[in-house]
Amino acid sequence: MSEQGPRRWPAPAKLNLFLHIVGRRADGYHELQSVFQFVDLCDELEIAVRTDGQIARRSEILDVPAERDLCIRAARALQRAAGSALGADIQLHKRIPIGAGLGGGSSDAATCLVALNRLWGLHWSIDRLAALGLTLGADVPVFVRGRAAWAEGVGERLTLLYPPLAPVETNYLILKPNVFVGTAEVFQDPELTRNSPAITIHGFLKSGGRNDCWSVVRRRYPEVARAFDWLSQFGTARLTGTGACVFLACESMERGRAIMRDAPSDCDAYLVRGLNDSPLLGRLAAEA
């Protein structure tokens, strides 16, 4: 039973402005360098506190059973770790495409942790929430912290970027081809570059970096290659994460809309604004 009506919480998408793979650990995970920037394309979670301790999913996600739903896993992990007797009804309004390299599932999990920490009155620190988030996925901590960040390790060692080092909050046109890219397949590909020299934040600001997954994704997923080539007509296109999304910085929304009008029919197109602060931080401030 719900103790109160549902409250809405944003879960933003992210872009990897670059992605270098600088090594491989003994456990098989890859050592990365990247910059995370949020965008204003957001999923939304409706969460209502329950007094009976049940964690209930109130929305279905195609091909994602409840036991694999990162929102539900996050809620149950926090409930166990905190020893809370409270539960929650969770409804996810999905706008971020799945398997796109935009971090939607990780963002949903992070928003669930942050929201329930507040709604259940747990008063956990951000560091503690981020550590729990890391057990759910390498990208979860950056969404918990909610600031544009330089990332190392498997993506969990974060240096928050503030002006003048923070990315320019520009506009981006994102294309999502009609294909699901398997992250594990990309990282297991024998031709993946795994020995890029490590760079510094200032080195990235000077060179812009690249995405070491691109050559593998291009070879394995021709749909992504076609979208990338089309977008490259208008500027420097990039791949985010392991894909499938490719994106282009646009100097104005008008320019982005003009390009978007002619986007390939086999791609979904999103015109978004880059954000250095997650909208989840603003939602927390409003809750306070």
Side-chain angles (χ1 to χ4, degrees):
M1 59 186 70
S2 295
E3 182 185 67
Q4 57 192 22
R7 290 187 246 180
R8 291 175 175 256
W9 301 81
K14 58 81 177 170
L15 294 174
N16 294 96
L17 299 188
F18 85 107
L19 179 59
H20 291 181
I21 303 173
V22 299
R24 193 172 192 177
R25 306 190 321 193
D27 61 6
Y29 284 93
H30 291 80
E31 292 279 346
L32 311 174
Q33 288 186 310
S34 189
V35 165
F36 289 105
Q37 186 176 36
F38 306 109
V39 296
D40 62 357
L41 173 64
C42 297
D43 289 343
E44 190 173 56
L45 275 70
E46 283 190 54
I47 302 177
V49 174
R50 296 176 63 110
T51 57
D52 59 4
Q54 295 296 308
I55 305 291
R57 184 168 80 161
R58 296 305 184 195
S59 53
E60 295 300 317
I61 305 174
L62 185 64
D63 297 327
V64 181
E67 61 271 16
R68 289 200 297 114
D69 186 329
L70 273 177
C71 282
I72 302 303
R73 290 174 55 201
R76 289 173 177 165
L78 182 60
Q79 185 185 55
R80 286 193 303 270
S84 177
L86 295 174
D89 288 325
I90 302 171
Q91 183 168 4
L92 174 61
H93 301 277
K94 194 73 182 155
R95 300 184 181 96
I96 302 170
I98 297 172
L102 298 175
S106 295
S107 185
D108 296 339
T111 290
C112 203
L113 292 176
V114 170
L116 288 175
N117 182 50
R118 177 62 59 89
L119 294 173
W120 287 347
L122 301 179
H123 307 292
W124 276 30
S125 69
I126 288 295
D127 287 345
R128 194 175 179 189
L129 283 177
L132 180 60
L134 182 59
T135 67
L136 299 165
D139 286 354
V140 176
V142 73
F143 288 107
V144 168
R145 296 187 183 281
R147 307 279 187 188
W150 173 268
E152 297 180 286
V154 296
E156 88 289 3
R157 295 205 313 268
L158 301 170
T159 301
L160 303 187
L161 299 176
Y162 293 95
L165 297 180
V168 176
E169 291 185 330
T170 189
N171 310 298
Y172 296 99
L173 177 59
I174 300 172
L175 292 186
K176 166 61 171 68
N178 187 24
V179 63
F180 180 92
V181 172
T183 298
E185 295 175 14
V186 173
F187 277 111
Q188 291 167 6
D189 193 290
E191 295 184 22
L192 180 67
T193 297
R194 296 182 172 89
N195 59 351
S196 284
I199 65 171
T200 63
I201 295 174
H202 288 283
F204 159 70
L205 293 173
K206 184 177 180 179
S207 70
R210 63 185 178 279
N211 189 322
D212 283 339
C213 297
W214 172 236
S215 61
V216 171
V217 173
R218 184 178 189 93
R219 173 171 47 82
R220 297 179 70 108
Y221 299 95
E223 300 93 336
V224 181
R226 287 195 296 271
F228 182 94
D229 290 343
W230 184 86
L231 200 56
S232 295
Q233 300 175 82
F234 307 101
T236 302
R238 304 183 214 176
L239 179 78
T240 180
T242 56
C245 281
V246 295
F247 66 96
L248 173 75
C250 300
E251 61 271 20
S252 67
M253 282 290 186
E254 291 74 17
R255 174 63 171 159
R257 280 190 283 269
I259 299 172
M260 188 175 176
R261 280 195 291 269
D262 296 322
S265 60
D266 60 349
C267 293
D268 293 325
Y270 305 88
L271 186 58
V272 301
R273 184 166 60 92
L275 303 171
N276 290 332
D277 292 338
S278 167
L280 181 59
L281 299 180
R283 179 65 183 82
L284 272 177
E287 188 76 13

